């Protein structure tokens, strides 16, 4: 047993099976204590919604937080986003221009104010509208010279963020900071906005058994022996994957 970098999405990945979560938390906490393993949560949630979930589910204190779909990184319990990450996201980003451009699309329903962040503009978008709207929206934003990308997940959530920001790029930032190789990095997810976690380098991947079709389709189109599709749901699936790869017994 040696230290590894453990990164997981929260909703429907780490969280969703309370009994399995208790077991997984105990093992991760012991592993961190014994070997120095780092625990990171990577979620679309804002700091406010993350805090609500942390208290509700009694989550372990992480070594780092990747919030707002990878646009904010918080280290060691800090309440202030990591400035060196924010600086990397700034070139080509103009939040006011994104908001002005998106206002022309009536199909886009703004998410609550808590979910609107410095480097993220978020909407609800019905799946039946998405196929038509997303290409048009991306084209309009690119005409403005914005360096952005669209992340659509779960058939409802649309996030507009800087092009070089996502959960995967944020994990790369932490890997380099903490000097973890891909083979000692484990990422876990269940939905479309987690594809970025699995797509950056040959990191060890665990897809939980309750994964959404968008992630399963990507996995089937991009098979890899360093990625594992679990049978069990949520934390139970993560534990299954960690055992499969030999990170826990």
């Amino acid at each position: 047993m040696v230290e590894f970098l453990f990164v997981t999405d929260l909703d429907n990945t780490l969280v969703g099976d309370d009994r399995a979560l208790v077991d997984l938390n105990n093992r991760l906490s012991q592993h961190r204590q014994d070997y120095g393993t780092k625990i990171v949560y990577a979620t679309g949630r804002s700091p406010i919604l993350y805090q609500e979930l942390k208290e509700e589910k009694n989550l372990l204190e992480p070594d780092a937080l990747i919030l707002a779909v990878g646009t904010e990184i918080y280290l060691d319990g800090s309440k202030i986003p990591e400035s060196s990450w924010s600086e990397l996201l700034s070139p080509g980003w103009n939040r006011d221009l994104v908001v002005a451009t998106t206002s022309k699309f009536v199909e886009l329903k703004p998410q609550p104010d808590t979910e609107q962040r410095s480097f993220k503009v978020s909407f609800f978008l019905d799946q039946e509208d998405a196929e038509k709207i997303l290409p048009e929206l991306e084209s309009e934003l690119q005409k403005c010279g914005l360096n952005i990308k669209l992340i659509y997940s779960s058939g409802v959530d649309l996030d507009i963020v800087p092009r070089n920001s996502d959960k995967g790029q944020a994990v790369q930032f932490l890997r380099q900071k903490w000097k973890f190789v891909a083979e000692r990095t484990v990422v876990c997810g269940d939905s479309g906005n987690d594809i970025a976690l699995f797509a950056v380098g040959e990191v060890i991947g665990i897809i939980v058994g309750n994964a959404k079709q968008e992630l399963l389709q990507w996995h089937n189109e991009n098979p890899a022996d360093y990625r594992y599709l679990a049978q069990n749901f949520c934390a139970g699936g993560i534990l299954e994957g960690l055992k499969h790869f030999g990170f826990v017994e």
Side-chain angles (χ1 to χ4, degrees):
M1 293 290 148
V2 295
E3 66 174 354
F4 65 98
L5 174 57
F6 173 79
V7 183
T8 183
D9 173 54
L10 293 178
D11 295 280
N12 301 310
T13 302
L14 182 67
V15 172
D17 180 337
D18 290 348
R19 184 177 296 178
L21 178 59
V22 170
D23 187 11
L24 178 61
N25 277 349
N26 288 337
R27 289 169 182 260
L28 287 173
S29 182
Q30 192 65 49
H31 212 282
R32 177 163 62 179
Q33 186 177 318
D34 292 346
Y35 305 105
T37 284
K38 298 280 192 183
I39 298 171
V40 177
Y41 301 145
T43 175
R45 286 177 177 248
S46 64
I48 291 173
L49 289 189
Y50 161 70
Q51 201 60 41
E52 289 177 2
L53 186 69
K54 181 177 184 290
E55 292 170 8
E56 178 190 347
K57 297 298 183 181
N58 196 28
L59 300 179
L60 295 175
E61 193 66 48
D63 297 283
L65 275 172
I66 297 170
L67 298 184
V69 203
T71 60
E72 298 172 17
I73 295 176
Y74 298 83
L75 295 171
D76 301 318
S78 172
K79 305 295 185 193
I80 301 169
E82 178 67 13
S83 59
S84 54
W85 178 242
S86 300
E87 286 166 13
L88 289 173
L89 305 188
S90 294
W93 174 255
N94 183 327
R95 195 180 192 286
D96 292 340
L97 193 49
V98 171
V99 171
T101 304
T102 52
S103 66
K104 302 170 189 173
F105 293 81
V106 296
E107 297 86 354
L108 300 176
K109 312 298 184 196
Q111 291 187 15
D113 288 347
T114 57
E115 302 315 291
Q116 310 298 341
R117 309 295 298 169
S118 297
F119 291 101
K120 181 170 81 80
V121 183
S122 296
F123 299 93
F124 297 119
L125 175 63
D126 291 339
Q127 190 144 23
E128 54 265 32
D129 293 325
E131 198 170 321
K132 175 177 180 290
I133 294 301
L134 292 177
E136 294 178 12
L137 176 58
E138 187 163 25
S139 176
E140 285 297 310
L141 290 165
Q142 286 175 347
K143 282 180 194 171
C144 298
L146 293 165
N147 190 26
I148 56 87
K149 68 179 167 191
L150 311 182
I151 302 175
Y152 186 62
S153 60
S154 304
V156 65
D157 295 315
L158 173 63
D159 300 305
I160 304 173
V161 299
R163 181 171 296 281
N164 56 338
S165 79
D166 57 39
K167 291 180 178 182
Q169 298 297 329
V171 170
Q172 289 290 80
F173 178 86
L174 291 175
R175 273 186 55 204
Q176 290 166 7
K177 181 179 181 62
W178 289 332
K179 297 179 173 54
F180 279 97
V181 297
E183 301 79 49
R184 307 305 304 174
T185 303
V186 179
V187 300
C188 313
D190 77 295
S191 74
N193 72 19
D194 298 317
I195 291 172
L197 284 176
F198 300 105
V200 180
E202 296 186 359
V203 295
I204 303 298
I206 300 171
I207 297 174
V208 291
N210 53 294
K212 293 185 170 63
Q213 186 58 39
E214 64 224 28
L215 178 56
L216 294 175
Q217 182 179 334
W218 177 85
H219 169 63
N220 290 333
E221 292 169 356
N222 300 272
D225 57 8
Y226 49 82
R227 200 179 311 124
Y228 179 74
L229 181 56
Q231 297 295 309
N232 292 310
F233 287 12
C234 304
I238 294 175
L239 195 50
E240 179 188 332
L242 289 175
K243 290 177 180 177
H244 171 80
F245 288 112
F247 286 103
V248 300
E249 295 176 342

